[in-house]
Amino acid sequence: MTVTGQGTGRRAAVLGSPIAHSLSPVLHRAAYAAMGLHDWRYDAIECAEDGLADLIGGLGPEWAGLSLTMPLKRAVLPLLDVVSDLALAVGGANTVVFRDGARYGENTDVYGIVRALAEAGVPAPASAVVLGGGATAASAVAALREMGLAEVTLVVRDPSRAGETLRVAERLGATVTLRSFGDFDPEADLVVSTLPSGAADALAERVAARLSEKAALFDVVYAPWPTPLATAAGRRGRTVIGGLPMLLHQAVRQVELMTGRTDVPVEAMRAAGEAEIARRAAS
C-alpha cells in the first residue's frame, strides 16, 4: 500500500481498526490551525494489524508521523528503527516519528496520564488501584511508577489475561498485587479505571463508596461522559478526572514530536475536543 500526497505539505495520521470514532484528527488539526501549519494534514486511516507493515512501508517522504491505537501499539515495534526505553518497557508505541530516513517509536500515553493528574491537582499517591489489565493499564502502571509509586493493586476480570501488564510492571520495577473483580478492596488514594465504556458500571457504587475523602478517581473513558463510575464518585465530592485530559496531553506531546515545535496550543486543542464530544453527544 502506498499512501502519498501532493504538494509540499507534511502529513500525519492515526491508524487503527475501527478508527472512525477517533478524536485524534480533531485535536491535531486544531493544533495545526493554531500553529499556522496550514499545509499540514492529519487523517484517520483504517488499518488492521495485518496491514500495518505494508502501510508504513508505502509512506512517502511527506509523512511526519503516525498515531497508533491498539492493537497496533505492540505490532509496530518490530517495524521501527529506534524505540524509546519507555515504549520498550511498556511494550507498545502509540507514536511513530519519521526523521532522517528512520522510524522512531515513542509512548506518549504515560505522559498523558501524568499530565492529566497533575493538571487536576492530584498529588503523587501513596496507594493506587488500577482497574483493567490491558495496554492502557500498563501505561497507568508506568505513569504511577513515574510519580514515585512502586506498589499498585491491579484489578481485572480474568487474572490469567493480565500477564503482559505484570511483565511491564516487572520491567519498571513495580510490585503488583493482582485481584479479580469479585475479590478486592478498592480503598486507595487514587483509583484509575482503564476499562472500556460500560465495563465499570457494575462496580461504580462499590468503588465510589470506598474512596476516602481525599481520594481521586481517574476514568479514561471520555465519551459518553460522565460515566456511572464518575457520577458516583462526584456525588460523594471526590476529585474526578475524565479521559479527555489524558487524550489531550498525549496528543500535545505527539504534535511536539512530529513538528519539532514546543509552542503547541493546549487550550485550542482542548476546546476543539470538548466541542466535538458535545457535538457527538447531541447527535
Side-chain angles (χ1 to χ4, degrees):
M1 177 185 294
T2 301
V3 185
T4 59
Q6 298 179 346
T8 59
R10 303 303 306 279
R11 292 194 64 182
V14 58
L15 310 183
S17 183
I19 201 61
H21 69 287
S22 176
L23 205 61
S24 292
V26 171
L27 298 175
H28 284 253
R29 290 168 186 168
Y32 297 165
M35 295 167 72
L37 299 175
H38 303 301
D39 59 345
W40 279 62
R41 172 179 165 186
Y42 190 99
D43 299 300
I45 298 176
E46 186 79 15
C47 179
E49 190 172 349
D50 59 3
L52 182 61
D54 284 346
L55 191 149
I56 290 181
L59 298 181
E62 72 275 19
W63 282 82
L66 298 170
S67 309
L68 304 174
T69 64
M70 288 301 294
L72 304 183
K73 296 178 185 181
R74 290 173 181 162
V76 77
L77 294 180
L79 307 176
L80 302 175
D81 299 302
V82 181
V83 182
S84 73
D85 291 342
L86 178 60
L88 286 173
V90 175
N94 74 319
T95 309
V96 177
V97 177
F98 302 108
R99 187 170 63 247
D100 301 327
R103 305 166 181 171
Y104 294 81
E106 185 56 87
N107 181 298
T108 69
D109 287 331
V110 175
Y111 174 86
I113 294 171
V114 172
R115 285 293 305 135
L117 291 171
E119 183 178 79
V122 176
S127 59
V129 169
V130 175
L131 305 179
T136 305
S139 291
V141 171
L144 292 166
R145 189 72 185 95
E146 190 169 307
M147 295 172 71
L149 190 62
E151 298 183 11
V152 178
T153 298
L154 189 69
V155 182
V156 296
R157 287 192 200 87
D158 182 359
S160 68
R161 300 179 64 182
E164 179 58 31
T165 301
L166 294 177
R167 286 188 286 274
V168 168
E170 184 177 0
R171 289 195 291 268
L172 294 167
T175 300
V176 171
T177 300
L178 192 61
R179 294 283 185 266
S180 66
F181 279 7
D183 176 33
F184 82 105
D185 182 345
E187 186 172 10
D189 291 338
L190 175 65
V191 173
V192 181
S193 175
T194 67
L195 299 171
S197 180
D201 292 0
L203 301 172
E205 294 299 331
R206 181 180 171 193
V207 171
R210 295 292 288 159
L211 290 172
S212 66
E213 188 174 331
K214 295 182 179 180
L217 169 74
F218 180 19
D219 190 335
V220 302
V221 174
Y222 64 84
W225 185 261
T227 63
L229 180 57
T231 297
R235 193 164 54 238
R236 289 168 171 80
R238 307 302 179 250
T239 298
V240 177
I241 306 102
L244 179 58
M246 171 191 169
L247 187 65
L248 166 68
H249 288 292
Q250 65 83 27
V252 168
R253 184 66 181 132
Q254 286 183 334
V255 173
E256 288 179 348
L257 291 169
M258 293 179 192
T259 65
R261 288 173 53 172
T262 59
D263 58 330
V264 180
V266 178
E267 295 311 315
M269 295 171 69
R270 190 195 311 275
E274 290 174 344
E276 176 61 15
I277 290 172
R279 185 195 68 79
R280 294 181 186 182
S283 63

